[in-house]
Amino acid sequence: MCGALRSSDAGKKAVLMGWVNRRRDLGNLIFVDVRDRSGITQVVFSEESKPAVHEKAELLRNEFVIAVIGTVKLRDANTINKNIPTGEVELVADELRILNDAKHPPFLPGDTALANEEMRLKYRYIDLRRENMQFNIELRHKVALAIRDYLSSQGFFEIETPFMTRSTPEGARDYLVPSRVQPGMFYALPQSPQLFKQILMISGFDKYFQIVRCFRDEDLRADRQPEFTQIDLEMSYPQPERVWETVEGFLTAAFRAAGHEIKTPFARMDYDEAIRRYGIDKPDLRLPEFTEVRDCFAPPDLQTLAVNPDLPVVAIRIPKVGELSRKERDEIKPMFNSKGGAKLFEDFKRIEKNFPEAAKKIQEKCRAAADDLIVLVSGSAQSGREDHPASKRKVTPHELAVYASAGLLRVALAQKYAAKHGLFQRGDFRFLWVT
């Protein structure tokens, strides 16, 4: 492999096969970087020692596929490339075979400026030669292998279930495949192996898993595609603790294979608490949670603001945003998706001016610094009434409208000002069970 040679291989014969990544012609010496999925090795063609091979090397261009036979040689100290693992050695070519030539590609795998997505998809085989893409494919393989190894060690059987089946009620539309042998009849591609794994459970296979392809005919979204791969598993006689342990176990193995250590057990929270604190059942825990600030306002203040006193008033705090101009504050309004009459107060300065005591209490309750952004979301005075305090029962539909509206805005603001607050750090994983 092109990325395998090291200084300990000096003096040995080697055969390299791969793509021409780069060619540098210095006259009597031609240097060619040969690339495969393991890395790059520099190959030297000398006119003095091998004139015929050197002449052949003059034909090489980017993305030619070649095989080179030669001797591994240590590089001179001043030519060592510390940027690649094979940078201490080079291969002095004795023989060159051009396995396949290539037209000049529309973009090169080593280009730092990426082609547009349409171009990358059209020439997918070139795009997949890029180092980042090959890293992703290798990582996916390692993660899948780690999951399989862990679940197998816990007594799970990996069992394949059929793709060609009959349509069953699911959450989306089915993809249909016409039957050749029974005209007018159709197979459905599975949206999930749900029925099959239940059959496996009543057949006595008490622990099943599958890394399986699923198909759903639905509109594209950020987390929705027509076909996708999911980790599907089922257990007989399950207890909540066993399910949590199993999932946390294979996720720990998967993240370890990707070079990350995660903390277990994961935090746990019931659905209603998640909605009250974050406005969503899959919260981003890197961001500050809501603060309930209704009690910071006097009843006449709520009436002046046309706020329903029976519904939550939540403060969203985004750290370190700094002073916003009027134009920037106005840009927050289109980001707010009001549900059920939820109301936005994006200009906290106006709250400070008109209700100074309430504003001071809100800042203290939110533990806000001077440069933190605070916006308020409440129910409007026209919203329906609630009969009981929220802390003593489940979230009601009117409360959910306020929390959900605030939850969407919380994430949107955090994404908009990500460069300022710096909370979205790579590798900062915060897992949570919402039950």
Side-chain angles (χ1 to χ4, degrees):
M1 302 292 283
C2 294
L5 295 178
R6 298 292 185 270
S7 57
S8 58
D9 297 311
K12 296 179 182 178
K13 283 283 186 179
V15 179
L16 296 182
M17 288 181 276
W19 286 265
V20 173
N21 192 65
R22 187 183 176 200
R23 173 182 173 274
R24 302 179 299 285
D25 192 339
L26 304 183
N28 64 332
L29 290 176
I30 296 176
F31 296 92
V32 173
D33 292 340
V34 182
R35 181 195 75 243
D36 65 12
R37 66 180 175 89
S38 67
I40 292 175
T41 293
Q42 177 175 277
V43 179
V44 183
F45 298 91
S46 172
E47 184 178 25
E48 181 179 341
S49 60
K50 298 287 181 179
V53 177
H54 179 275
E55 182 180 0
K56 197 172 184 179
E58 291 178 338
L59 303 174
L60 298 180
R61 295 295 183 269
N62 284 338
E63 300 308 298
F64 274 35
V65 183
I66 63 174
V68 184
I69 302 173
T71 304
V72 181
K73 172 181 172 293
L74 289 174
R75 294 196 196 190
D76 296 335
N78 61 338
T79 64
I80 290 175
N81 185 352
K82 296 181 180 179
N83 295 322
I84 57 175
T86 61
E88 294 182 347
V89 298
E90 57 192 10
L91 187 71
V92 179
D94 296 325
E95 185 179 345
L96 168 65
R97 297 180 185 179
I98 299 178
L99 304 179
N100 209 347
D101 61 8
K103 296 178 181 179
H104 186 72
F107 60 92
L108 294 173
D111 286 349
T112 53
L114 289 182
N116 63 57
E117 187 175 28
E118 184 177 349
M119 180 72 73
R120 290 175 58 196
L121 292 173
K122 182 177 180 180
Y123 298 96
R124 185 64 166 165
Y125 55 92
I126 298 177
D127 186 49
L128 288 174
R129 295 177 194 172
R130 294 193 302 113
E131 184 178 0
N132 285 349
M133 298 300 291
Q134 299 215 336
F135 172 82
N136 290 342
I137 295 294
E138 181 181 4
L139 178 62
R140 191 179 191 277
H141 160 72
K142 289 179 178 178
V143 167
L145 185 62
I147 292 169
R148 285 189 167 98
D149 288 345
Y150 176 80
L151 290 175
S152 295
S153 72
Q154 299 300 307
F156 283 80
F157 285 177
E158 182 175 13
I159 304 174
E160 293 183 344
T161 53
F163 273 177
M164 306 287 278
T165 181
R166 67 181 299 170
S167 181
T168 57
E170 292 273 4
R173 290 178 294 273
D174 291 320
Y175 279 108
L176 301 178
V177 180
S179 171
R180 179 184 60 83
V181 296
Q182 298 185 53
M185 304 295 286
F186 295 82
Y187 296 102
L189 299 181
Q191 295 184 39
S192 76
Q194 184 67 37
L195 292 181
F196 296 113
K197 66 183 180 183
Q198 290 174 341
I199 290 172
L200 289 171
M201 291 303 103
I202 62 176
S203 301
F205 297 96
D206 60 322
K207 290 184 177 182
Y208 142 91
F209 84 96
Q210 188 180 184
I211 301 178
V212 61
R213 208 72 164 174
C214 297
F215 307 87
R216 294 181 182 178
D217 184 7
E218 57 186 356
D219 296 335
L220 287 171
R221 285 183 284 167
D223 58 352
R224 288 286 188 271
Q225 292 182 342
E227 58 174 314
F228 58 93
T229 302
Q230 71 179 30
I231 302 168
D232 193 69
L233 57 100
E234 189 72 47
M235 302 166 62
S236 295
Y237 321 113
Q239 300 296 318
E241 291 289 343
R242 302 291 80 75
V243 175
W244 294 332
E245 287 173 3
T246 300
V247 174
E248 290 172 6
F250 78 69
L251 285 177
T252 299
F255 275 79
R256 184 173 294 130
H260 299 280
E261 291 294 333
I262 59 176
K263 296 179 180 179
T264 57
F266 299 163
R268 298 169 191 173
M269 184 182 300
D270 68 36
Y271 173 85
D272 293 291
E273 183 182 1
I275 294 298
R276 288 196 184 97
R277 292 171 63 177
Y278 303 102
I280 193 170
D281 60 357
K282 49 180 179 181
D284 190 332
L285 301 184
R286 295 171 295 181
L287 306 173
E289 63 184 75
F290 297 155
T291 304
E292 169 59 61
V293 296
R294 180 176 52 184
D295 58 351
C296 296
F297 291 95
D301 296 342
L302 295 176
Q303 187 174 3
T304 302
L305 291 168
V307 167
N308 189 326
D310 299 316
L311 292 178
V313 179
V314 297
I316 302 170
R317 179 176 68 89
I318 307 297
K320 302 179 182 178
V321 172
E323 184 76 19
L324 295 182
S325 66
R326 162 55 63 186
K327 179 177 180 294
E328 289 173 319
R329 287 197 297 271
D330 287 342
E331 289 173 351
I332 295 176
K333 294 178 182 177
M335 300 166 61
F336 181 63
N337 183 11
S338 176
K339 297 178 180 293
K343 193 171 184 178
L344 170 67
F345 299 92
E346 81 286 349
D347 190 352
F348 193 70
K349 281 186 171 296
R350 188 172 296 176
I351 300 291
E352 288 180 305
K353 179 181 178 181
N354 297 328
F355 309 96
E357 292 185 11
K360 184 178 179 181
K361 291 179 182 178
I362 290 170
Q363 289 173 321
E364 291 175 353
K365 197 168 184 179
C366 293
R367 299 180 182 178
D371 58 351
D372 289 356
L373 170 66
I374 298 177
V375 299
L376 305 182
V377 178
S378 70
S380 70
Q382 289 74 36
S383 302
R385 293 182 57 83
E386 305 290 357
D387 298 327
H388 305 286
S391 59
K392 294 184 179 179
R393 51 164 170 69
K394 293 184 177 296
V395 173
T396 67
H398 292 304
E399 292 171 344
L400 179 59
V402 175
Y403 290 130
S405 301
L408 293 173
L409 182 62
R410 170 178 174 266
V411 174
L413 289 172
Q415 292 172 342
K416 180 178 178 64
Y417 298 111
K420 293 186 176 182
H421 60 68
L423 296 175
F424 295 151
Q425 295 297 318
R426 189 178 182 84
D428 182 12
F429 302 106
R430 310 281 184 91
F431 290 94
L432 173 69
W433 287 107
V434 176
T435 59

